Amino acid sequence: NTAYMMDNMLQWASNQMKGIGVKADDFDIVLLLSQEFELLQTLARQKEVKLAHELDKSILVYADQDMIRLVLRNLINNAIKFTPRGGEVIISARHDQETAEITVRDNGTGIPLENQHRIFSNIYYSTTGTQNEKGCGLGLHLSKDFIERNHGRIWFHSMPDSGSSFSFT
């Protein structure tokens, strides 16, 4: 977790200091997720949260693979962080000729309505997870920046005590 937060901070610092170029190429986002899945599955198992995906066929996208990897890691890590023991996190996707849409859905604590406007802002915002996990408050801002640099969009729906759903194209 510390290494992951450090990775986020270093990416953000690099982005701020010299700007970061998008190195877009074609890749299979389902394959990318499966490469990351075991690491994230270990984190979920430690917390006794079920982590599953509904991605069974290739979805080719044109984007910066490293940026998308960081976004996926961050969204899934956050979902695990805010889901209590016995909960679940599901990753799903849909696509058409033009766009792929990935969704990370949990049945965790949800985001209080009064804090939802802060989620993607560049103002430091972090809360502790269900087992007092800490964050650095940069992950969602960085994720939004990376998705927008790849000509996508990111959004969420959340209800307190019912969980959250984060999606991006």
Side-chain angles (χ1 to χ4, degrees):
N1 202 19
T2 302
Y4 171 74
M5 285 192 309
M6 192 64 156
D7 186 40
N8 263 357
M9 288 182 65
L10 290 173
Q11 287 275 7
W12 179 80
S14 171
N15 187 16
Q16 294 299 308
M17 293 170 76
K18 66 178 185 291
I20 190 166
V22 174
K23 297 178 184 102
D25 202 356
D26 292 317
F27 68 94
D28 181 352
I29 198 164
V30 174
L31 181 60
L32 176 72
L33 177 67
S34 66
Q35 292 167 350
E36 298 296 313
F37 203 74
E38 194 53 44
L39 171 69
L40 297 161
Q41 190 68 267
T42 300
L43 182 65
R45 273 191 220 109
Q46 288 172 345
K47 195 165 174 186
E48 297 178 30
V49 169
K50 178 185 174 194
L51 176 62
H53 65 80
E54 299 169 345
L55 310 173
D56 54 358
K57 56 185 174 184
S58 293
I59 299 174
L60 291 178
V61 298
Y62 182 75
D64 185 308
Q65 186 169 348
D66 291 332
M67 289 182 177
I68 301 306
R69 179 188 318 272
L70 190 137
V71 170
L72 274 170
R73 270 190 206 164
N74 188 58
L75 294 180
I76 297 167
N77 188 56
N78 280 355
I80 294 167
K81 177 178 167 181
F82 293 104
T83 299
R85 179 172 294 151
E88 68 178 0
V89 175
I90 310 273
I91 301 120
S92 60
R94 37 181 233 169
H95 63 96
D96 56 30
Q97 308 301 68
E98 301 288 319
T99 308
E101 180 182 307
I102 307 297
T103 299
V104 177
R105 184 178 72 244
D106 67 65
N107 63 351
T109 59
I111 303 163
L113 296 174
E114 65 272 13
N115 292 332
Q116 290 188 8
H117 71 281
R118 299 179 181 172
I119 293 303
F120 292 121
S121 76
N122 60 359
I123 299 166
Y124 173 83
Y125 174 72
S126 181
T127 59
T128 56
T130 58
Q131 292 183 351
N132 293 318
E133 304 98 325
K134 297 192 181 348
C136 61
L138 297 172
L140 289 173
H141 175 67
L142 186 63
S143 294
K144 180 179 188 286
D145 183 40
F146 281 1
I147 291 299
E148 288 175 352
R149 286 174 185 255
N150 282 277
H151 307 290
R153 59 186 198 94
I154 186 168
W155 66 97
F156 71 96
H157 299 286
S158 184
M159 289 298 295
D161 301 318
S162 296
S164 299
S165 172
F166 280 79
S167 300
F168 68 91
T169 59

